[in-house]
Amino acid sequence: MNSKIRMKNMTLDQLQYCVINEGEKRFRARQLIKWIYQKRVCSFDQMNNIPKTVRQKLSEKYSLEKMNPVYVKESAYGDAVKFGFTLIESNHIVESVLLYDGKRRTACISSQLGCALGCVFCRTAAMGFIRNLTQEEIVGQLTGINDYLNEKNDKLITNVVFMGMGEALSNFENFRKSLEIIMHEETFNIGGRRITVSTAGVIPSIEKLMNENLNVGLAISLNAYTNEKRNSLMPVNRKYPIESLVKIAGKFFEKTGRRVTFEYVVIDGENDTVHAVDGLYKLLNGLPCKINLIPVNPSDDSKLRAPSDKKLKDFADQLHARGLTVTIRKSRGQDILGACGQLAGSINKSVSGFQ
Ligand code: SF4
């Protein structure tokens, strides 16, 4: 185990404090964060605008180790890439996905190793909850993806969605700290308009998100129009029922001026019927929001199937005809198990000695 302090796990304030503690001026902290997050170096030696004596002093105490991908799987359709990163001082692998959409390069990142919420359509759920990712492990996924894009001479990440493994809002502290880095103009410089966090509907965490004015978009995974159906798909609904989600989505809009997106994983014959159209219309009752239809992604161990393209389009059209704002999310990365609900962790067998 490396006994040095991990500089990438520090908040920007902590980094500034440690630089001052080392007898350096404040601006050194800004130089450091540019090297770490913009140039993505993993050695102080490369920081050629910082005096050698300072670099030497820092390297004796701090580490800049990187979280490198152990695998990178490119979709045959050219619109998605899945990354598996070994976590820090661990042999667990966490997955993230890069999605190409016109000029957008969206990173779909993970926030927990596994997940405690047990949604039936999600492969991550089968792992159970192992642990929260640290700030460094969350941001490290973006650094790894930007390294990949840079090697391809492509533009860097433009958008971030916390829709990978885990419930980001249940790892609130590290989520908040990683946002601070992602949004900072001298690091990734990705504004809140281009960041969305998805939640299964943990109401107190949504309230916290609103109260802390984090200025990011919110997506709520809805997937049903009755509590009975939602209970069967998402056990978290027993604690925070469907009406409370609609209510909090309204409050979110009032407070932030941003419409919540309701993610709706469409399962053939389960939640895409005419009753579902009526049910959703009544449930949402004029609430300013968007519905994003996501055909369920197949997995070997699940009997859930997506509707045909035509059936999905008919369902969208019927919702649209009732005045709802609806989009169909194009499924990317299915062939690399990188689409929604398909991410899952594993163990890096080449790393020993860690749990
Ligand atoms: S869909 Fe999200 S909240 Fe539900 S089990 Fe999967 S990772 Fe957890």
Side-chain angles (χ1 to χ4, degrees):
M1 196 181 297
N2 194 335
S3 57
K4 293 183 185 174
I5 302 167
R6 306 193 66 90
M7 196 170 256
K8 290 179 185 165
N9 207 31
M10 290 179 173
T11 62
L12 299 177
D13 280 349
Q14 285 169 338
L15 201 142
Q16 185 160 301
Y17 178 78
C18 103
V19 162
I20 291 168
N21 240 4
E22 296 294 335
E24 291 299 310
K25 294 255 165 27
R26 239 171 246 271
F27 75 91
R28 285 269 179 257
R30 291 180 50 206
Q31 287 179 316
L32 279 167
I33 63 171
K34 280 189 180 177
W35 280 109
I36 296 172
Y37 297 110
Q38 282 186 0
K39 300 192 174 124
R40 302 178 303 283
V41 301
C42 48
S43 153
F44 290 100
D45 284 346
Q46 292 166 273
M47 304 180 175
N48 59 16
N49 59 353
I50 298 180
K52 209 169 173 188
T53 48
V54 179
R55 283 187 261 157
Q56 178 65 32
K57 193 165 56 172
L58 292 173
S59 67
E60 281 163 14
K61 230 175 180 176
Y62 302 96
S63 107
L64 289 177
E65 208 180 318
K66 242 185 196 179
M67 212 170 66
N68 288 314
V70 276
Y71 55 81
V72 176
K73 295 181 183 169
E74 297 174 345
S75 164
Y77 305 100
D79 53 5
V81 183
K82 181 164 82 169
F83 299 81
F85 293 100
T86 306
L87 295 180
I88 309 291
E89 292 171 4
S90 159
N91 56 4
H92 284 287
I93 296 172
V94 79
E95 297 191 323
S96 339
V97 182
L98 164 66
L99 299 159
Y100 295 88
D101 184 11
K103 289 183 178 166
R104 282 192 196 182
R105 302 289 176 267
T106 301
C108 174
I109 56 174
S110 296
S111 50
Q112 296 182 315
L113 183 60
C115 183
L117 297 185
C119 305
V120 300
F121 47 82
C122 173
R123 280 186 82 215
T124 306
M127 297 170 66
F129 174 71
I130 301 174
R131 69 166 172 86
N132 283 328
L133 301 195
T134 62
Q135 166 202 307
E136 177 181 14
E137 289 167 336
I138 296 173
V139 176
Q141 297 167 66
L142 298 181
T143 304
I145 296 174
N146 269 349
D147 277 345
Y148 171 89
L149 287 166
N150 188 52
E151 268 174 36
K152 302 262 172 199
N153 285 323
D154 199 350
K155 64 197 291 196
L156 302 183
I157 296 166
T158 58
N159 295 64
V160 176
V161 293
F162 285 82
M163 295 184 184
M165 294 164 61
E167 165 81 15
L169 296 185
S170 295
N171 180 13
F172 202 90
E173 209 33 45
N174 292 337
F175 163 71
R176 194 187 55 68
K177 287 196 285 185
S178 55
L179 273 187
E180 187 199 11
I181 293 187
I182 296 167
M183 294 164 101
H184 194 280
E185 57 185 14
E186 283 170 314
T187 59
F188 294 89
N189 193 21
I190 298 176
R193 292 257 153 216
R194 293 187 282 130
I195 300 174
T196 302
V197 59
S198 172
T199 175
V202 181
I203 302 284
S205 309
I206 300 177
E207 282 167 345
K208 204 165 174 193
L209 180 76
M210 292 188 321
N211 294 338
E212 296 215 1
N213 293 320
L214 292 182
N215 184 32
V216 295
L218 178 67
I220 297 178
S221 188
L222 184 65
N223 312 320
Y225 57 96
T226 64
N227 281 317
E228 197 189 357
K229 176 53 76 187
R230 198 166 186 271
N231 286 345
S232 71
L233 296 173
M234 305 179 73
V236 67
N237 192 68
R238 293 181 195 278
K239 195 156 181 198
Y240 305 110
I242 214 159
E243 302 75 25
S244 61
L245 297 182
V246 176
K247 203 164 157 199
I248 196 90
K251 281 194 191 161
F252 187 87
F253 178 73
E254 274 169 31
K255 175 126 199 206
T256 66
R258 291 174 75 165
R259 289 189 291 171
V260 164
T261 297
F262 285 110
E263 309 279 2
Y264 196 90
V265 173
V266 190
I267 305 165
D268 191 28
E270 292 266 342
N271 61 359
D272 59 348
T273 60
V274 239
H275 299 298
V277 176
D278 278 344
L280 282 171
Y281 172 73
K282 286 184 192 136
L283 177 73
L284 299 175
N285 192 25
L287 174 79
C289 65
K290 294 178 264 186
I291 303 175
N292 194 9
L293 302 179
I294 308 163
V296 70
N297 282 305
S299 77
D300 295 342
D301 38 8
S302 163
K303 292 191 184 72
L304 308 178
R305 292 286 165 256
S308 65
D309 287 353
K310 180 178 178 317
K311 209 170 158 199
L312 183 66
K313 186 174 176 307
D314 286 349
F315 183 54
D317 287 347
Q318 287 173 56
L319 290 169
H320 187 71
R322 304 296 284 267
L324 296 162
T325 306
V326 189
T327 49
I328 296 177
R329 188 192 293 172
K330 194 179 155 215
S331 192
R332 297 187 184 86
Q334 263 189 26
D335 59 330
I336 49 169
L337 287 182
C340 248
Q342 291 187 313
L343 300 190
S346 54
I347 300 285
N348 182 355
K349 297 202 175 74
S350 65
V351 180
S352 59
F354 293 119
Q355 289 298 311

Short mmCIF file of all heavy atoms in Angstrom, two decimals, residues 218-239:
data_model
loop_
_atom_site.label_atom_id
_atom_site.label_comp_id
_atom_site.label_asym_id
_atom_site.label_seq_id
_atom_site.Cartn_x
_atom_site.Cartn_y
_atom_site.Cartn_z
N LEU A 218 -31.73 16.92 -12.66
CA LEU A 218 -32.16 15.75 -11.89
C LEU A 218 -32.99 14.83 -12.78
O LEU A 218 -33.91 15.28 -13.48
CB LEU A 218 -32.99 16.20 -10.69
CG LEU A 218 -33.55 15.08 -9.80
CD1 LEU A 218 -32.44 14.34 -9.07
CD2 LEU A 218 -34.53 15.66 -8.77
N ALA A 219 -32.65 13.55 -12.76
CA ALA A 219 -33.47 12.54 -13.46
C ALA A 219 -33.96 11.56 -12.40
O ALA A 219 -33.17 11.08 -11.57
CB ALA A 219 -32.62 11.82 -14.50
N ILE A 220 -35.26 11.31 -12.40
CA ILE A 220 -35.82 10.34 -11.44
C ILE A 220 -36.25 9.11 -12.21
O ILE A 220 -36.98 9.20 -13.20
CB ILE A 220 -37.02 10.94 -10.67
CG1 ILE A 220 -36.57 12.15 -9.84
CG2 ILE A 220 -37.67 9.89 -9.77
CD1 ILE A 220 -37.71 12.86 -9.08
N SER A 221 -35.79 7.96 -11.75
CA SER A 221 -36.12 6.71 -12.42
C SER A 221 -37.53 6.30 -11.97
O SER A 221 -37.72 5.85 -10.85
CB SER A 221 -35.06 5.69 -12.00
OG SER A 221 -35.19 4.52 -12.72
N LEU A 222 -38.51 6.48 -12.86
CA LEU A 222 -39.92 6.32 -12.46
C LEU A 222 -40.42 4.89 -12.80
O LEU A 222 -40.82 4.14 -11.92
CB LEU A 222 -40.76 7.37 -13.19
CG LEU A 222 -42.24 7.43 -12.83
CD1 LEU A 222 -42.44 7.86 -11.38
CD2 LEU A 222 -42.99 8.40 -13.75
N ASN A 223 -40.49 4.58 -14.06
CA ASN A 223 -40.71 3.20 -14.55
C ASN A 223 -42.09 2.58 -14.31
O ASN A 223 -42.31 1.43 -14.66
CB ASN A 223 -39.66 2.24 -13.99
CG ASN A 223 -38.26 2.80 -14.16
OD1 ASN A 223 -37.97 3.39 -15.19
ND2 ASN A 223 -37.43 2.68 -13.15
N ALA A 224 -42.98 3.30 -13.67
CA ALA A 224 -44.31 2.75 -13.41
C ALA A 224 -45.25 3.91 -13.11
O ALA A 224 -44.79 5.03 -12.87
CB ALA A 224 -44.27 1.79 -12.23
N TYR A 225 -46.54 3.63 -13.11
CA TYR A 225 -47.50 4.70 -12.80
C TYR A 225 -48.33 4.34 -11.57
O TYR A 225 -49.17 5.12 -11.14
CB TYR A 225 -48.39 4.99 -14.01
CG TYR A 225 -49.14 3.77 -14.51
CD1 TYR A 225 -50.44 3.52 -14.11
CD2 TYR A 225 -48.52 2.85 -15.34
CE1 TYR A 225 -51.12 2.39 -14.55
CE2 TYR A 225 -49.18 1.72 -15.78
CZ TYR A 225 -50.47 1.49 -15.38
OH TYR A 225 -51.13 0.36 -15.80
N THR A 226 -48.13 3.15 -11.02
CA THR A 226 -48.80 2.80 -9.76
C THR A 226 -47.75 2.33 -8.76
O THR A 226 -46.69 1.83 -9.14
CB THR A 226 -49.81 1.64 -9.92
OG1 THR A 226 -49.07 0.46 -10.31
CG2 THR A 226 -50.88 1.94 -10.95
N ASN A 227 -48.10 2.47 -7.49
CA ASN A 227 -47.17 1.98 -6.46
C ASN A 227 -47.01 0.47 -6.54
O ASN A 227 -45.92 -0.05 -6.32
CB ASN A 227 -47.68 2.39 -5.07
CG ASN A 227 -47.34 3.85 -4.79
OD1 ASN A 227 -46.23 4.29 -5.08
ND2 ASN A 227 -48.29 4.60 -4.27
N GLU A 228 -48.11 -0.21 -6.88
CA GLU A 228 -48.03 -1.67 -6.94
C GLU A 228 -46.96 -2.11 -7.96
O GLU A 228 -46.08 -2.91 -7.65
CB GLU A 228 -49.41 -2.20 -7.33
CG GLU A 228 -49.56 -3.66 -7.03
CD GLU A 228 -50.85 -4.20 -7.64
OE1 GLU A 228 -51.63 -3.42 -8.23
OE2 GLU A 228 -51.04 -5.42 -7.54
N LYS A 229 -47.06 -1.54 -9.15
CA LYS A 229 -46.11 -1.91 -10.20
C LYS A 229 -44.69 -1.44 -9.83
O LYS A 229 -43.72 -2.18 -9.98
CB LYS A 229 -46.57 -1.27 -11.53
CG LYS A 229 -45.67 -1.45 -12.72
CD LYS A 229 -45.28 -2.88 -13.03
CE LYS A 229 -46.35 -3.69 -13.69
NZ LYS A 229 -45.95 -5.12 -13.81
N ARG A 230 -44.60 -0.22 -9.30
CA ARG A 230 -43.25 0.29 -8.99
C ARG A 230 -42.62 -0.51 -7.84
O ARG A 230 -41.42 -0.76 -7.85
CB ARG A 230 -43.30 1.79 -8.68
CG ARG A 230 -41.92 2.46 -8.79
CD ARG A 230 -42.01 3.96 -8.82
NE ARG A 230 -40.70 4.56 -9.08
CZ ARG A 230 -39.84 4.88 -8.12
NH1 ARG A 230 -40.17 4.71 -6.85
NH2 ARG A 230 -38.67 5.40 -8.44
N ASN A 231 -43.43 -0.92 -6.88
CA ASN A 231 -42.90 -1.76 -5.79
C ASN A 231 -42.25 -3.02 -6.36
O ASN A 231 -41.22 -3.47 -5.87
CB ASN A 231 -44.02 -2.22 -4.85
CG ASN A 231 -44.50 -1.10 -3.94
OD1 ASN A 231 -43.84 -0.08 -3.82
ND2 ASN A 231 -45.65 -1.30 -3.31
N SER A 232 -42.88 -3.57 -7.41
CA SER A 232 -42.38 -4.83 -7.94
C SER A 232 -41.10 -4.63 -8.76
O SER A 232 -40.31 -5.54 -8.93
CB SER A 232 -43.44 -5.53 -8.79
OG SER A 232 -43.62 -4.82 -10.00
N LEU A 233 -40.88 -3.41 -9.28
CA LEU A 233 -39.68 -3.15 -10.08
C LEU A 233 -38.57 -2.53 -9.26
O LEU A 233 -37.38 -2.79 -9.50
CB LEU A 233 -40.02 -2.18 -11.23
CG LEU A 233 -41.00 -2.65 -12.30
CD1 LEU A 233 -41.34 -1.51 -13.25
CD2 LEU A 233 -40.41 -3.83 -13.08
N MET A 234 -38.96 -1.69 -8.29
CA MET A 234 -37.98 -0.94 -7.52
C MET A 234 -38.37 -0.97 -6.03
O MET A 234 -39.23 -0.18 -5.59
CB MET A 234 -37.94 0.53 -8.00
CG MET A 234 -37.69 0.67 -9.49
SD MET A 234 -37.69 2.38 -10.02
CE MET A 234 -36.15 2.98 -9.37
N PRO A 235 -37.72 -1.81 -5.25
CA PRO A 235 -38.11 -1.94 -3.84
C PRO A 235 -38.07 -0.62 -3.06
O PRO A 235 -38.81 -0.45 -2.08
CB PRO A 235 -37.07 -2.92 -3.28
CG PRO A 235 -36.56 -3.67 -4.47
CD PRO A 235 -36.67 -2.76 -5.65
N VAL A 236 -37.25 0.33 -3.51
CA VAL A 236 -37.15 1.63 -2.80
C VAL A 236 -38.51 2.35 -2.76
O VAL A 236 -38.76 3.20 -1.90
CB VAL A 236 -36.06 2.52 -3.46
CG1 VAL A 236 -36.45 2.95 -4.85
CG2 VAL A 236 -35.71 3.72 -2.61
N ASN A 237 -39.40 1.95 -3.69
CA ASN A 237 -40.70 2.60 -3.75
C ASN A 237 -41.54 2.35 -2.49
O ASN A 237 -42.41 3.14 -2.14
CB ASN A 237 -41.48 2.13 -4.98
CG ASN A 237 -42.70 2.97 -5.24
OD1 ASN A 237 -42.57 4.15 -5.59
ND2 ASN A 237 -43.90 2.43 -5.01
N ARG A 238 -41.24 1.27 -1.78
CA ARG A 238 -42.01 1.00 -0.55
C ARG A 238 -41.74 2.08 0.48
O ARG A 238 -42.57 2.37 1.32
CB ARG A 238 -41.64 -0.38 0.02
CG ARG A 238 -42.09 -1.50 -0.89
CD ARG A 238 -41.75 -2.87 -0.35
NE ARG A 238 -41.88 -3.84 -1.41
CZ ARG A 238 -43.02 -4.39 -1.78
NH1 ARG A 238 -44.14 -4.08 -1.15
NH2 ARG A 238 -43.07 -5.25 -2.78
N LYS A 239 -40.54 2.64 0.42
CA LYS A 239 -40.20 3.69 1.38
C LYS A 239 -40.60 5.08 0.87
O LYS A 239 -41.07 5.92 1.63
CB LYS A 239 -38.69 3.63 1.63
CG LYS A 239 -38.26 4.41 2.83
CD LYS A 239 -36.95 3.90 3.38
CE LYS A 239 -36.56 4.68 4.62
NZ LYS A 239 -35.17 4.52 4.93
#
